[in-house]
Amino acid sequence: MDLQIFIDLQDKFDQETSLYEGINNAIKEMDRTCRLASAKLTKAHSLPQEQAKDVTESIKPQFVTIKQYIGELSQLIKPETFYRYHDRWTNVLQTACALVAFSIYLAESRLATPADVEEYLGFKVNTENADITVFVITLEEYLHGIISLFNELSRLAVNSVIVNDVKRPQHISAFASELYSGFQLLNLKNDSLRRRFDSIKYDIKRIEEV
């Protein structure tokens, strides 16, 4: 009996184990960095609008770190295996996209575009759902990030009143309503996106009641 087949199989198992360890390490560090950035951004809820940009400046080092670990993932993942492992990192990339979206809104009072996400995270958003030839941020990850913005906006509207920034909720309401109208134009086929979209109306209602 030729035992080489078993030796070759063990080599493949070892390679797979090493790959999983590399992926998991990058995800763990990204998650840790995202949580730090989120904690810093939370300070914006207790500050008037004119001080919000200082908060967004404070998390730029975290975006550099996130970009670094996405780069590590991209080195580990071949295009043909992208969707095989994608579920492992999609949640943390959704969080990263949400951080970009909230940062852009705080600094510039506008919607973060796919180009903004690419600038902050270093990888293109696959807006055309094209075949995977390089590592990308999926369109669904970008949209999840934007949907997360609604919850931040509802909190921000309430907290703006607490810090006596009484005109801000009106601007937030107008922005959120326009953004919601944009989402209504989409035919969302992704189940998780559709469920999250359905919850947006509660954030909108909370903003309108401020």
Side-chain angles (χ1 to χ4, degrees), residues 143-144 147-148 150 180 183-184 186-205:
L143 291 174
H144 272 292
I147 288 175
S148 295
F150 283 95
Y180 182 62
F183 264 95
Q184 287 180 310
L186 299 177
N187 180 18
L188 298 175
K189 297 180 180 179
N190 180 288
D191 286 344
S192 62
L193 274 176
R194 200 162 52 240
R195 284 195 299 271
R196 292 198 66 202
F197 172 74
D198 289 341
S199 70
I200 289 174
K201 58 181 178 285
Y202 300 109
D203 291 318
I204 295 291
K205 183 179 180 182

Side-chain angles (χ1 to χ4, degrees), residues 55-107:
V55 178
T56 62
E57 288 291 321
S58 74
I59 69 165
K60 284 188 174 179
Q62 279 70 56
F63 280 123
V64 172
T65 303
I66 293 167
K67 184 187 294 187
Q68 171 193 333
Y69 285 110
I70 298 175
E72 287 191 12
L73 269 181
S74 74
Q75 295 298 312
L76 292 169
I77 304 300
K78 297 177 181 178
E80 60 269 22
T81 61
F82 181 86
Y83 283 113
R84 178 179 177 184
Y85 302 106
H86 178 250
D87 284 350
R88 289 179 168 268
W89 67 74
T90 188
N91 286 342
V92 72
L93 283 192
Q94 290 172 25
T95 301
C97 288
L99 290 170
V100 174
F102 193 33
S103 296
I104 292 288
Y105 180 79
L106 287 173

